[in-house]
Amino acid sequence: MQTWDVVIIGAGAAGLMCAAQAGYRGRRVLLLDNAKQAGRKILISGGGRCNFTNTHAQPDAYICHNSHFVKSALSRFSAHDFIELVERHGLNYHEKTLGQLFCDESAKDLLEILMTELSWSGANLQLRTEVLKVIRTDTGFLIQTSAGELQCLSLVVATGGLSMPKLGATPLGLQLAEQFGLHVYPTRAGLVPFTLHAEDKVRFAQISGVSVACEVHSLSGMRFRESLLFTHRGLSGPAILQISSFWQAGEPVWINLLPDVKAGDWLQTLSRDRPRVSLRKLLSEKLPKRFVDIWLETDIADTAIGQLPLKRREQLAEQLNHWELKPNGTEGYRTAEVTLGGVDTDELSSKTMECKNIPGLYFIGEVVDVTGWLGGYNFQWAWSSGWAAGQVV
């Protein structure tokens, strides 16, 4: 039976970082994964260019039942620390928007860097290996796998969440946490497109592919100003993915279609200065024409702004700045970028990611109840939490 200092389950972003860090400390490390390739989520993220971090990755960009938990790891291994690491390897990258950093060419370049770090550290990688059972022993842990039994002093669970099951996502990490008596928060899909009720779905499917710059907010009070995208099934785009993590089933969301304009004042000015111009034409000057044709009520679309009754003008202004839409649900884990919920951070040390009541057992990355905003924040949590555990396992 093979014996290791550290066994890490899950060769994603967090697991790769942790394995390399532990290996550099001279630990005998084995990184396990059931997939045929490491870092599969890295390869497909960001349209194949991987939004690998965000220069604004601060604690307030993370959803966690304990808002202070992420502070230690993020401060000790920050976005700038990860940038320095990839720059040492010569990665070409660029900032797209809002601090989001992407590989210039391909996510393969980033994965190659992580695999190089893994190799240099002396850590071992074993793929196509399914973990069947984990048993705590007097000296650590016994792991039964599809390739035989292993023993280790420290066990790190880096299995990720439930999102994108086609990439091999499983509930193993959450099951292990529950097996060892840890509290686990209920999980749900995050950073995920909305589906619409039948009437709205039929209406807006006609403009699938149309994007609208806007500000979206939810009952939680969170607001995101980016673009939304109409799809055949409902709504997507950065603004929708962001707000989805703060949305609860049955709630509406509100969309400000003209976030830089007080619609009431604007319409009043138009009714005075351009009274003969139709609403359809005026709105199409600020919003995509195909969207206006579907969104604007047909009985007023071709009405001249100067002929629109004051009450209807006020109603239109309210809709432009505060359009209420009630999603039917989300597309679920199939297309979700992350999983909300997971292992309760109160069970873990914020400095090391070690279970407070089970020495030698660690949880890192997405399996933990930490979810970042869209835009590289979740990868940064993977790097930071993986680094933190890698310093001590």
Side-chain angles (χ1 to χ4, degrees):
M1 185 189 303
Q2 291 182 311
T3 300
W4 303 86
D5 294 327
V6 186
V7 168
I8 302 167
I9 306 175
L16 286 165
M17 174 61 78
C18 183
Q21 292 300 312
Y24 281 132
R25 292 176 42 244
R27 306 293 281 166
R28 290 174 297 123
V29 180
L30 177 64
L31 179 59
L32 294 175
D33 202 290
N34 62 355
K36 60 182 179 181
Q37 182 177 26
R40 293 177 71 189
K41 203 168 182 179
I42 294 171
L43 291 174
I44 62 98
S45 72
R49 291 190 176 182
C50 190
N51 179 191
F52 58 84
T53 192
N54 193 298
T55 57
H56 306 308
Q58 298 297 322
D60 60 1
Y62 291 86
I63 305 167
C64 178
H65 283 81
N66 177 358
S67 60
H68 299 289
F69 180 81
V70 300
K71 292 179 179 178
S72 176
L74 289 174
S75 65
R76 290 162 55 233
F77 190 81
S78 67
H80 299 290
D81 291 317
F82 189 74
I83 293 167
E84 284 181 15
L85 186 155
V86 298
E87 285 181 343
R88 289 199 301 271
H89 286 265
L91 179 71
N92 295 316
Y93 65 90
H94 61 278
E95 180 178 341
K96 191 172 181 181
T97 181
L98 302 173
Q100 301 170 13
L101 302 187
F102 288 77
C103 302
D104 278 357
E105 301 297 329
S106 169
K108 292 178 182 177
D109 299 332
L110 178 64
L111 183 57
E112 187 176 325
I113 289 171
L114 296 168
M115 297 304 289
T116 298
E117 288 282 321
L118 192 71
S119 176
W120 286 353
S121 75
N124 295 270
L125 174 63
Q126 184 174 314
L127 299 170
R128 302 175 189 262
T129 303
E130 185 180 357
V131 172
L132 305 175
K133 192 173 184 180
V134 175
I135 302 168
R136 191 179 180 191
T137 67
D138 292 339
T139 56
F141 300 88
L142 173 68
I143 306 164
Q144 296 176 354
T145 79
S146 56
E149 291 189 341
L150 307 166
Q151 283 185 324
C152 63
L153 301 176
S154 296
L155 176 63
V156 183
V157 180
T159 51
L162 303 174
S163 55
M164 299 186 184
K166 284 187 177 180
L167 294 182
T170 75
L172 175 63
L174 303 174
Q175 291 168 351
L176 288 174
E178 291 173 341
Q179 174 189 326
F180 287 103
L182 277 62
H183 177 248
V184 175
Y185 282 107
T187 57
R188 62 185 177 91
L191 300 181
V192 62
F194 285 140
T195 57
L196 295 176
H197 290 283
E199 183 179 340
D200 286 331
K201 181 180 177 181
V202 170
R203 180 183 177 194
F204 292 112
Q206 303 172 66
I207 54 171
S208 176
V210 172
S211 178
V212 179
C214 63
E215 181 182 79
V216 181
H217 73 272
S218 65
L219 274 177
S220 69
M222 289 300 298
R223 295 175 180 267
F224 291 98
R225 183 170 174 174
E226 291 190 63
S227 60
L228 69 79
L229 175 70
F230 291 93
T231 72
H232 287 296
R233 294 178 296 274
L235 299 177
S236 189
I240 295 301
L241 297 183
Q242 292 279 40
I243 210 68
S244 71
S245 293
F246 298 88
W247 175 81
Q248 299 290 335
E251 293 179 353
V253 293
W254 290 272
I255 302 167
N256 186 344
L257 294 165
L258 300 174
D260 291 320
V261 176
K262 289 186 177 179
D265 294 344
W266 177 61
L267 292 175
Q268 182 177 359
T269 300
L270 290 173
S271 67
R272 182 187 68 232
D273 297 346
R274 304 171 67 186
R276 297 181 179 178
V277 182
S278 73
L279 286 171
R280 187 195 306 273
K281 178 173 173 51
L282 291 171
L283 264 61
S284 295
E285 292 174 3
K286 291 190 177 294
L287 294 164
K289 184 178 183 303
R290 287 180 61 201
F291 168 73
V292 172
D293 288 343
I294 293 296
W295 182 81
L296 195 58
E297 294 179 24
T298 54
D299 65 320
I300 61 170
D302 295 314
T303 302
I305 179 68
Q307 296 178 347
L308 190 69
L310 176 60
K311 187 172 182 180
R312 287 303 302 273
R313 196 175 77 201
E314 290 173 344
Q315 290 172 344
L316 178 60
E318 172 69 14
Q319 275 203 300
L320 285 167
N321 282 151
H322 207 244
W323 176 32
E324 180 177 310
L325 194 63
K326 184 173 283 189
N328 183 43
T330 75
E331 292 192 6
Y333 293 120
R334 182 180 63 83
T335 58
E337 296 201 14
V338 292
T339 303
L340 290 153
V343 178
D344 188 345
T345 56
D346 287 347
E347 303 276 10
L348 309 175
S349 161
S350 62
K351 184 176 181 180
T352 66
M353 306 295 137
E354 185 177 22
C355 294
K356 294 175 180 176
N357 297 323
I358 307 174
L361 181 61
Y362 301 75
F363 288 83
I364 59 175
E366 193 181 341
V367 72
V368 179
D369 174 41
V370 174
T371 304
W373 291 357
L374 181 74
Y377 295 96
N378 289 290
F379 273 120
Q380 186 54 49
W381 171 247
W383 314 134
S384 296
S385 60
W387 183 91
Q391 306 309 302
V392 295
V393 289

